[in-house]
Amino acid sequence: MYIRHFLFSLSTLMFLILSGTATADTGNSDPRTERMERKAMRKLKDADQFFSPWKHLGIVSIDSVKVQRHNEHLFIYFSPTLTHIPIRYPWLISLETHLKNQLGWRFRKYDISMMARDRELHEFIPNALRPEHLTADSSRIRIRPTHNEPLVKRITPVVFENGLSGNHIALWHSHGKYYNAVKDRWQWQRARLFTTVEDIYPTEYVLRYITPMLENAGAHVLLPRERDIQTHEVIVDNDASTGDSELIQLHGDAIWKSQEEGFQITDTLFNGDNPFYKGSHLKAPVNSGASLVYVPEIRETGDYAVYISWAKAEDNVPDVAATINYSGASASFSLNQQMGHSTWIYLGSFRFTKGKDASEGSLILYSHSAHDGHITADAVRFGGGMGNVARRPALQVLPNQKSIDDTGKSMSPQTLTTTQTGEIRWKTSQSPRFTEGARYYLQYAGMPDTLVYSFNEGKNDYNDDYMSRGEWVNYLMGAPLGPQRKRDVQGLNIPVDLSLAFHTDAGITPGDSVIGTLAIYSADRDEGIFPDSVSRLVSRDLSDLVQEQIVSDIRNLYNPSWTRRALWDRQYSEAWRPNVPSLLLELLSHQNLADMRFGLEPQFQFDVSRAIYKGIARFQAYQEGREAVIQPLPPQGMSMEKVGEKTIRLSWMPTHDPLEASAMPEAYIVYTREEGKGFDQGILTQEPFIEIELPQWNTIYSFKVSATNSGGESFPSEILSAAMVPGQAKMVLIVNGFQKTSGPGTLHGNDIEGVEWWDNHAIPYISSISYTGQQYDYDRNSPWLDDDSPGWGASYADYEGKEVAGNSFDYPYIHGTSVRNAGYSFISVSRKAFEENPLQTSDFHVINLIMGKQKGAAGLLDPDNIHYRVFTPSLIQRLKDYANSGGNIIITGAYIGTDSQLYKDTTAIDFTKRILGYSWRTGRATNTGDLQVTDATANMLPEELEFATTPNPEIYHVEAPDAIEAEGAGSRTVYRYRVGATSAAVFHTSAHRVFAMGIPFETITDAEQRDTLMERILKLFE
């Protein structure tokens, strides 16, 4: 009886309203009922106090009450603002109790229905979070096709039955560069602030973390923007190919038939151009023995995304086999050609070596199939490339026409009516394709212009861009869920499960408070129903679950006060256009420094992305009626032992996730990389260790490990390397002590605040693709004038579109290459393993300690918890024990003196003086990357060294290296910084020997200099 109001059906309510019994507006109300309603309203006048924790979402009030005396039922109508709150069942029970207490004895026998926006409040509870006795809303459950094979199925030994296998997810990151026809220029859609811009800042989350997490759970992720940051592009096609690339027909010259319509290389695309209708394609019957080999001529060694395309045929088969041969191994796929025709289909990113070699750089398409029919073959693309869609000034734009952007803001009036005299020049962006907006990539990807990306006759690319994303989702699916302009278009037949638009545009606060996370969905449009009759409230379910997961995880890991903003039901284009469950996420405010203190941290980006993935996984698991299992975290404590002449034992530890009980590993995948190549496809093992015999002497082999369970595969561990030199009994142990990633330091003053670039530059995870340049306006009172003059936070543009190297966790390979080239065998271990595992250090001739840019940093959740210290008590003890046994130590890092000094760590300071033979002199020793050998060791060490001091794509840079001074009778300075002449490196001789350098060895930019330096150091140790 206590919850009868939840079981009161909406149909009954509508009947009562229509019959006049539920409202006084029908003319059937009587004076007594009206008095009761007025009395109830007076009793409930203070009910809004119950909503005080949510006052930041707006005022919640009771608009009206309606009394039904004949069945003792009271309807309480709240303002629409109430629906901005994430509604949960226990909270509703508390609210009902509160309201009954307010109403008093007169209504003690009445049932209460609490209403907002013409719905009972319990209808806003996500299906997945309802208690068992509260019936789920079946109209919000989409029926997933069971007969279809997924668009792309990667052939692996692991199937994620409780992950996202077979799901298709549409995902995109913010805006991108667009052509402003009024100003006749390509520009960002937002301002550059705090060293980034919203057009590419969410790229860090979407490309670096969210997409791989979803793919690691088994999903196929579709993006309407280019995902590959590789600026080179190679096309292999039956019509024409890039450079010396070629398409080879094997066993079927007479079988493959040329057909009309297909991709053709086009340098520049103009209005209306569709590259997938300019050329031709090939077609062959299945099981004909025919195959095609696409062989690219690779411009530069590196990682390249691989895309394939095919054409539409009525008898296309769903299981076309394809293999990608890349540098190091091969990967196999099954392609469903019954969907996804005449566009680019992403297969993965792989490492290719410069040049042309089919054995290590090709895609093979086979004709065998378990079905009758044909296969089709069109172009294959390697790399993301540069933008090639050309735009020009608008010939005519209506005077005072206004544009509304996707956040509902009015843009400047567009009043251009004629172009300048003279020739009208078409312009491409001259930028990497991954920086451009969706409108341009979708043209390059073969989407139909009038249905997907061209709604304003080429006059307003800004609007076209944000409108195109949702229509692209609809075209991927096709009838009955096709684009707004043509619902019944066949489209690409891809069963998209959901879409997510990722933004960070939320404004600023006057102080240092966080703005927080907003979720936007659309439930009311089209009478609240998708074209397939599914309730649009399913979008609220998705939005609520993802927002809940984000806020919960951030509060647990970073900031207990992180703001959960509203759940908005608004008609934003990216929320209402997609005909699938859709979320427009505003994670935080890129304009607000308090938010960006977190937002620029790589670990924060990882954890937020993991929360988004978890929210999606839980939503989709409920939709499919199965358990949601969360993929594990990366293994830790990687260690390596030599157990035979060329045999090593690799071991690791699982990582416990305190937020996810299900995220425990069930097995592991060990990936191997031979020197100069890419990682293979891995081998599966049930145990947290494996013994591997290195195939060849004198060759470096590298290893990384991921953890798996039924929900998916984790991100990989750090990378360890090893090489065995025949006849060399002396072994070097490389310890990777550089574990840090971080955002930049921030400057705080009364009115002078912002991002530091001169002292604590960011250390990205792997690399950053969203850095635009240094901040130059630190005055908090600087006003915003326009996006070209945004005031406080304004930043330069000299790095935008460029990759900036961070911590690759692969430095044992760089050090090991020089060690092996010097004639020594080596193995490597992680810092954690070195500190905690009983490794016999006395077995090693040298310990080479990599410290990179390791330096203590206060935790964002607990400032007293200092992470990333250079020297910990356990590390000091291990090194002391090794030194006392007569061992030799190499230690290099940018802050091997500063860290101890910064935290006044007397134990560490004493250790560096007495054992390592140096003391700290100063930080920021130089801003130029030049070292010069001293006279004392001029004949023993390379004369000069150069190291990276500015952001670049190859190796992380050192903006503030240490000067370290020789300490004690057995120590002497062996290198000085050319500018400033302070001591840069020290050699210490006593019962043990130490080479210590205030720059990281791996940041020396010339490989020959690294090799020579390592060789000479090891000779000094002899």
Side-chain angles (χ1 to χ4, degrees):
M1 291 295 293
Y2 191 65
I3 57 168
R4 281 171 51 197
H5 64 285
F6 287 128
L7 306 178
F8 188 83
S9 71
L10 185 60
S11 60
T12 302
L13 174 61
M14 292 304 297
F15 171 80
L16 292 172
I17 291 175
L18 293 173
S19 64
T21 58
T23 174
D25 296 334
T26 63
N28 294 329
S29 184
D30 60 78
R32 184 178 177 185
T33 299
E34 292 177 354
R35 286 196 300 272
M36 291 180 68
E37 290 171 351
R38 289 195 296 270
K39 185 174 183 180
M41 282 295 291
R42 288 195 301 271
K43 291 279 188 178
L44 296 173
K45 66 179 181 179
D46 296 326
D48 59 333
Q49 295 177 2
F50 191 81
F51 305 101
S52 58
W54 301 98
K55 60 184 179 182
H56 62 284
L57 301 183
I59 297 174
V60 177
S61 60
I62 296 175
D63 288 348
S64 63
V65 298
K66 300 300 176 187
V67 172
Q68 290 180 357
R69 288 192 298 117
H70 69 283
N71 61 355
E72 295 187 322
H73 206 113
L74 177 66
F75 293 86
I76 302 175
Y77 294 88
F78 289 89
S79 59
T81 309
L82 178 55
T83 63
H84 297 171
I85 296 171
I87 295 174
R88 303 291 183 263
Y89 182 75
W91 182 82
L92 282 184
I93 295 300
S94 298
L95 175 59
E96 182 188 41
T97 301
H98 176 80
L99 295 175
K100 281 199 168 187
N101 290 337
Q102 291 271 316
L103 289 166
W105 68 270
R106 180 64 184 83
F107 294 96
R108 67 186 184 279
K109 294 183 179 181
Y110 273 63
D111 291 322
I112 295 178
S113 288
M114 298 177 288
M115 310 288 294
R117 302 185 69 163
D118 298 324
R119 297 180 185 271
E120 292 201 61
L121 295 188
H122 77 270
E123 295 183 56
F124 296 99
I125 303 174
N127 270 342
L129 300 181
R130 296 187 180 196
E132 290 184 5
H133 60 269
L134 186 59
T135 305
D137 182 355
S138 61
S139 70
R140 298 189 217 177
I141 300 175
R142 302 180 76 228
I143 305 301
R144 183 184 180 192
T146 56
H147 62 282
N148 279 335
E149 286 291 310
L151 176 64
V152 174
K153 183 164 64 177
R154 192 160 182 168
I155 309 303
T156 67
V158 184
V159 177
F160 308 124
E161 63 270 18
N162 290 311
L164 295 169
S165 293
N167 291 121
H168 301 87
I169 295 173
L171 172 65
W172 58 89
H173 39 294
S174 190
H175 305 276
K177 191 166 285 189
Y178 81 106
Y179 179 73
N180 187 324
V182 176
K183 295 182 178 179
D184 185 22
R185 68 171 188 176
W186 287 82
Q187 65 180 68
W188 297 121
Q189 300 185 31
R190 296 291 184 263
R192 301 176 187 90
L193 295 168
F194 304 119
T195 73
T196 188
V197 60
E198 192 198 4
D199 298 72
I200 54 173
Y201 167 63
T203 303
E204 300 283 5
Y205 297 82
V206 170
L207 298 189
R208 184 72 71 199
Y209 303 111
I210 302 174
T211 297
M213 287 174 182
L214 295 171
E215 290 173 340
N216 284 356
H220 186 82
V221 182
L222 302 116
L223 286 84
R225 292 180 63 182
E226 175 60 59
R227 71 169 73 199
D228 191 10
I229 65 174
Q230 172 63 254
T231 56
H232 293 299
E233 179 184 43
V234 181
I235 301 290
V236 186
D237 187 29
N238 60 293
D239 292 311
S241 298
T242 304
D244 254 353
S245 304
E246 62 177 323
L247 177 58
I248 303 170
Q249 298 185 24
L250 293 181
H251 315 300
D253 291 352
I255 297 175
W256 292 101
K257 303 297 183 183
S258 180
Q259 307 288 314
E260 292 184 354
E261 293 188 354
F263 183 85
Q264 186 176 63
I265 293 178
T266 305
D267 287 337
T268 306
L269 295 176
F270 300 98
N271 279 345
D273 283 351
N274 187 328
F276 283 89
Y277 289 90
K278 287 177 171 287
S280 63
H281 70 273
L282 299 176
K283 185 176 182 179
V286 299
N287 301 319
S288 58
S291 58
L292 294 174
V293 184
Y294 295 80
V295 187
E297 182 189 26
I298 297 297
R299 309 282 184 85
E300 297 290 341
T301 297
D303 295 330
Y304 291 74
V306 179
Y307 300 84
I308 191 170
S309 61
W310 54 80
K312 181 181 178 181
E314 292 302 322
D315 59 349
N316 275 359
V317 295
D319 59 345
V320 176
T323 296
I324 295 174
N325 297 312
Y326 63 96
S327 175
S330 60
S332 297
F333 302 84
S334 177
L335 311 175
N336 186 350
Q337 290 197 348
Q338 293 177 349
M339 59 178 74
H341 65 87
S342 304
T343 190
W344 295 120
I345 303 300
Y346 175 76
L347 299 182
S349 184
F350 304 91
R351 190 160 189 85
F352 295 96
T353 303
K354 181 179 180 179
K356 180 181 171 185
D357 181 353
S359 66
E360 294 193 351
S362 62
L363 183 148
I364 306 176
L365 197 67
Y366 302 94
S367 63
H368 53 260
S369 170
H371 301 263
D372 294 329
H374 285 80
I375 69 169
T376 57
D378 203 357
V380 171
R381 176 163 69 98
F382 300 81
M386 302 290 286
N388 67 335
V389 175
R391 312 301 290 149
R392 66 175 184 177
L395 294 175
Q396 184 174 3
V397 180
L398 296 177
N400 300 319
Q401 176 185 352
K402 290 189 176 181
S403 301
I404 305 298
D405 71 15
D406 63 336
T407 63
K409 299 173 183 175
S410 177
M411 296 172 61
S412 302
Q414 300 187 350
T415 56
L416 180 67
T417 56
T418 59
T419 61
Q420 295 177 343
T421 58
E423 180 184 0
I424 298 173
R425 295 194 304 161
W426 292 83
K427 298 177 176 68
T428 60
S429 69
Q430 305 294 305
S431 298
R433 188 175 282 124
F434 82 91
T435 66
E436 291 185 343
R439 179 252 176 270
Y440 311 105
Y441 180 77
L442 294 178
Q443 181 173 357
Y444 186 55
M447 296 296 109
D449 51 2
T450 57
L451 296 183
V452 173
Y453 65 84
S454 183
F455 306 98
N456 295 279
E457 299 177 354
K459 300 171 185 175
N460 191 330
D461 285 7
Y462 184 104
N463 285 17
D464 281 350
D465 182 58
Y466 70 75
M467 295 166 70
S468 70
R469 303 162 201 164
E471 299 300 351
W472 161 76
V473 174
N474 298 336
Y475 186 77
L476 291 179
M477 296 183 292
L481 303 172
Q484 297 291 322
R485 290 184 174 180
K486 194 174 183 182
R487 283 276 186 253
D488 61 351
V489 70
Q490 188 167 359
L492 299 188
N493 196 35
I494 300 174
V496 178
D497 291 286
L498 59 90
S499 74
L500 170 64
F502 190 114
H503 292 267
T504 58
D505 190 10
I508 61 174
T509 58
D512 292 324
S513 60
V514 166
I515 286 180
T517 301
L518 170 70
I520 304 171
Y521 65 98
S522 173
D524 286 345
R525 198 177 186 94
D526 300 323
E527 299 180 346
I529 302 294
F530 285 120
D532 60 357
S533 300
V534 174
S535 170
R536 282 182 170 268
L537 275 175
V538 68
S539 291
R540 180 184 170 100
D541 284 10
L542 170 64
S543 302
D544 196 343
L545 290 175
V546 172
Q547 186 191 40
E548 172 82 20
Q549 192 72 65
I550 292 170
V551 174
S552 174
D553 285 7
I554 292 176
R555 287 176 178 175
N556 276 294
L557 297 173
Y558 293 97
N559 182 353
S561 301
W562 188 266
T563 306
R564 178 168 187 167
R565 299 176 66 208
L567 276 163
W568 275 356
D569 185 350
R570 299 286 173 86
Q571 305 315 305
Y572 287 40
S573 181
E574 294 169 283
W576 72 261
R577 284 184 184 275
N579 288 319
V580 292
S582 302
L583 162 62
L584 195 168
L585 177 68
E586 297 282 6
L587 172 67
L588 48 73
S589 174
H590 68 273
Q591 303 130 314
N592 195 54
L593 185 60
D595 290 57
M596 292 303 282
R597 279 188 61 242
F598 298 93
L600 292 172
E601 287 283 343
Q603 187 63 48
F604 177 88
Q605 294 169 5
F606 175 91
D607 289 325
V608 165
S609 299
R610 184 167 167 86
I612 292 169
Y613 143 69
K614 291 190 297 185
I616 290 173
R618 290 194 163 99
F619 169 81
Q620 199 58 39
Y622 183 87
Q623 287 286 308
E624 296 171 17
R626 56 173 174 77
E627 178 187 9
V629 174
I630 302 305
Q631 62 192 221
L633 290 170
Q636 59 179 326
M638 286 275 288
S639 185
M640 187 182 288
E641 297 177 72
K642 183 176 181 289
V643 294
E645 282 193 331
K646 286 194 302 172
T647 303
I648 60 156
R649 177 185 171 92
L650 196 66
S651 60
W652 55 88
M653 295 181 288
T655 301
H656 171 65
D657 185 346
L659 303 182
E660 292 296 337
S662 70
M664 288 302 296
E666 297 170 357
Y668 303 91
I669 301 176
V670 181
Y671 297 92
T672 302
R673 179 184 67 195
E674 184 179 334
E675 183 174 357
K677 298 182 179 181
F679 278 97
D680 64 13
Q681 292 296 292
I683 56 175
L684 190 67
T685 177
Q686 303 298 317
E687 303 295 336
F689 58 84
I690 191 171
E691 289 191 2
I692 299 174
E693 182 176 5
L694 306 185
Q696 299 181 59
W697 292 100
N698 222 34
T699 300
I700 300 174
Y701 293 92
S702 303
F703 307 92
K704 62 182 180 180
V705 181
S706 66
T708 70
N709 61 16
S710 65
E713 180 180 357
S714 75
F715 268 40
S717 66
E718 62 184 295
I719 302 170
L720 297 183
S721 299
M724 299 301 160
V725 176
Q728 174 58 267
K730 294 179 179 179
M731 177 83 70
V732 174
L733 175 65
I734 299 175
V735 181
N736 185 16
F738 181 24
Q739 303 296 308
K740 184 176 184 179
T741 62
S742 71
T746 51
L747 175 68
H748 295 281
N750 291 332
D751 293 313
I752 303 299
E753 294 187 304
V755 173
E756 292 181 353
W757 51 264
W758 55 89
D759 193 13
N760 289 301
H761 207 280
I763 307 173
Y765 171 71
I766 310 299
S767 67
S768 172
I769 46 181
S770 67
Y771 179 66
T772 62
Q774 299 168 0
Q775 180 179 339
Y776 61 83
D777 190 330
Y778 288 83
D779 185 353
R780 194 170 186 122
N781 297 313
S782 290
W784 180 92
L785 300 180
D786 62 24
D787 283 354
D788 290 331
S789 182
W792 178 49
S795 303
Y796 288 114
D798 48 324
Y799 280 95
E800 59 191 30
K802 300 176 182 178
E803 185 179 14
V804 175
N807 190 345
S808 69
F809 296 92
D810 194 14
Y811 303 115
Y813 177 77
I814 297 178
H815 285 242
T817 299
S818 295
V819 169
R820 188 277 316 272
N821 290 349
Y824 289 81
S825 300
F826 76 93
I827 63 171
S828 52
V829 297
S830 69
R831 177 194 184 115
K832 183 178 179 67
F834 181 74
E835 292 185 10
E836 298 179 3
N837 294 348
L839 193 69
Q840 285 296 110
T841 56
S842 58
D843 293 342
F844 298 97
H845 177 57
V846 177
I847 290 179
N848 179 356
L849 191 59
I850 301 170
M851 279 303 174
K853 290 177 73 173
Q854 193 83 352
K855 182 171 68 171
L860 290 173
L861 181 64
D862 178 9
D864 294 329
N865 187 10
I866 307 300
H867 306 278
Y868 305 122
R869 289 296 310 275
V870 171
F871 296 111
T872 60
S874 56
L875 179 61
I876 289 172
Q877 190 58 54
R878 293 305 301 271
L879 292 175
K880 273 186 178 180
D881 292 343
Y882 177 68
N884 290 336
S885 71
N888 304 304
I889 299 172
I890 300 173
I891 178 170
T892 63
Y895 307 116
I896 59 175
T898 289
D899 180 73
S900 303
Q901 208 61 37
L902 181 66
Y903 293 100
K904 298 179 174 57
D905 187 340
T906 56
T907 300
I909 291 171
D910 182 70
F911 167 73
T912 59
K913 288 181 178 180
R914 295 178 180 274
I915 304 299
L916 301 183
Y918 71 85
S919 60
W920 176 81
R921 178 61 67 207
T922 182
R924 310 180 188 91
T926 187
N927 62 351
T928 64
D930 304 292
L931 270 62
Q932 190 168 27
V933 72
T934 61
D935 290 344
T937 50
N939 297 324
M940 304 176 189
L941 296 170
E943 182 177 342
E944 56 187 26
L945 302 172
E946 296 181 0
F947 65 98
T949 58
T950 57
N952 68 89
E954 305 300 329
I955 189 73
Y956 68 90
H957 69 287
V958 181
E959 66 275 13
D962 272 358
I964 54 173
E965 201 71 43
E967 185 73 34
S971 297
R972 61 186 183 272
T973 293
V974 294
Y975 277 103
R976 293 189 180 278
Y977 295 106
R978 185 182 296 275
V979 174
T982 51
S983 175
V986 169
F987 185 69
H988 171 77
T989 303
S990 60
H992 64 281
R993 297 184 178 186
V994 178
F995 180 87
M997 185 164 63
I999 66 162
F1001 175 85
E1002 60 272 17
T1003 63
I1004 298 172
T1005 54
D1006 185 83
E1008 289 188 12
Q1009 288 184 355
R1010 291 197 303 267
D1011 286 353
T1012 304
L1013 176 62
M1014 183 64 72
E1015 179 189 15
R1016 301 290 177 81
I1017 293 170
L1018 294 174
K1019 281 186 177 179
L1020 286 174
F1021 289 160
E1022 297 288 353

